[in-house]
């Protein structure tokens, strides 16, 4: 990864492309509108849109029959030319369960049907950000490129 996640205002921010791919969004379904500075991620019937500097996330499709805008406590940012999204908000918009281990400062993202485990060792299909191991990965075979690199969030 050429841009590292970071923690700001108690939230973990991850570069849009790495976050989207780790959650299962196809490369072709990651959109950027430079004019409006809006990121749109599409997976299945669900579309999630976030605008730089705006504390609103819009979710369409899936269990959301109509477009639903929800206020977040943080906003997407651009740092050094890279777009970063608040990981928890995006993961939850796609139906994932998210937990945080304050002892290891590890963010764990689980498929909706999987209960978070007290041990931060992720199960197959989960995504995690664990500063101590320098890993941010999807354990499915289709995402082997995300199993290497420095993914340690910085404050």
């Amino acid at each position: 990864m050429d841009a590292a996640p970071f923690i700001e205002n108690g939230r973990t921010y991850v570069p849009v492309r790495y976050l989207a791919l780790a959650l299962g969004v196809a490369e072709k379904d990651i959109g950027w509108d430079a004019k409006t500075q809006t990121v749109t991620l599409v997976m299945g019937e669900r579309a999630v849109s976030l605008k730089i500097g705006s504390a609103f996330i819009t979710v369409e499709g899936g269990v959301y029959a109509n477009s639903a805008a929800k206020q977040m406590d943080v906003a997407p940012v651009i740092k050094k030319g890279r777009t970063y999204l608040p990981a928890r908000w995006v993961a939850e918009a796609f139906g994932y369960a998210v937990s945080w281990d304050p002892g290891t400062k590890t963010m764990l993202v689980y498929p909706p049907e999987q209960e978070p485990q007290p041990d931060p060792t992720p199960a197959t299909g989960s995504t995690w950000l664990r500063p101590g191991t320098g890993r941010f990965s999807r354990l499915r075979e289709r995402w082997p490129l995300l199993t290497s690199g420095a993914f340690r969030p910085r404050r």
Side-chain angles (χ1 to χ4, degrees):
M1 175 187 287
D2 59 347
F6 63 92
I7 297 172
E8 185 173 285
N9 298 323
R11 295 290 180 228
T12 302
Y13 285 82
V14 180
V16 62
R17 188 160 312 283
Y18 297 110
L19 178 60
L21 293 173
L23 293 174
V25 175
E27 182 84 29
K28 68 177 183 58
D29 294 326
I30 301 170
W32 170 250
D33 183 330
K35 188 173 186 177
T36 62
Q37 290 197 310
T38 302
V39 171
T40 302
L41 307 173
V42 179
M43 185 166 52
E45 295 179 8
R46 190 167 300 178
V48 175
S49 297
L50 300 99
K51 183 176 176 157
I52 300 301
S54 171
F56 285 91
I57 184 170
T58 303
V59 183
E60 299 179 43
V63 295
Y64 301 92
N66 298 312
S67 174
K70 186 173 182 179
Q71 186 163 4
M72 304 181 291
D73 55 354
V74 294
V77 298
I78 296 177
K79 283 191 171 192
K80 297 182 181 179
R82 297 299 301 263
T83 301
Y84 289 83
L85 302 180
R88 174 181 288 273
W89 286 99
V90 175
E92 288 177 347
F94 281 113
Y96 287 86
V98 178
S99 66
W100 176 257
D101 182 337
T104 61
K105 295 185 178 173
T106 303
M107 179 180 171
L108 300 153
V109 180
Y110 297 91
E113 68 279 357
Q114 183 180 330
E115 288 292 318
Q117 305 166 5
D119 174 8
T121 303
T124 300
S126 63
T127 301
W128 76 99
L129 173 60
R130 183 188 295 176
T133 62
R135 306 292 273 213
F136 177 64
S137 178
R138 177 86 176 203
L139 289 179
R140 295 194 176 162
E141 291 179 5
R142 64 184 181 171
W143 303 113
L145 69 148
L146 296 177
T147 61
S148 63
F151 297 86
R152 184 175 182 167
R154 295 184 296 234
R155 288 188 182 255

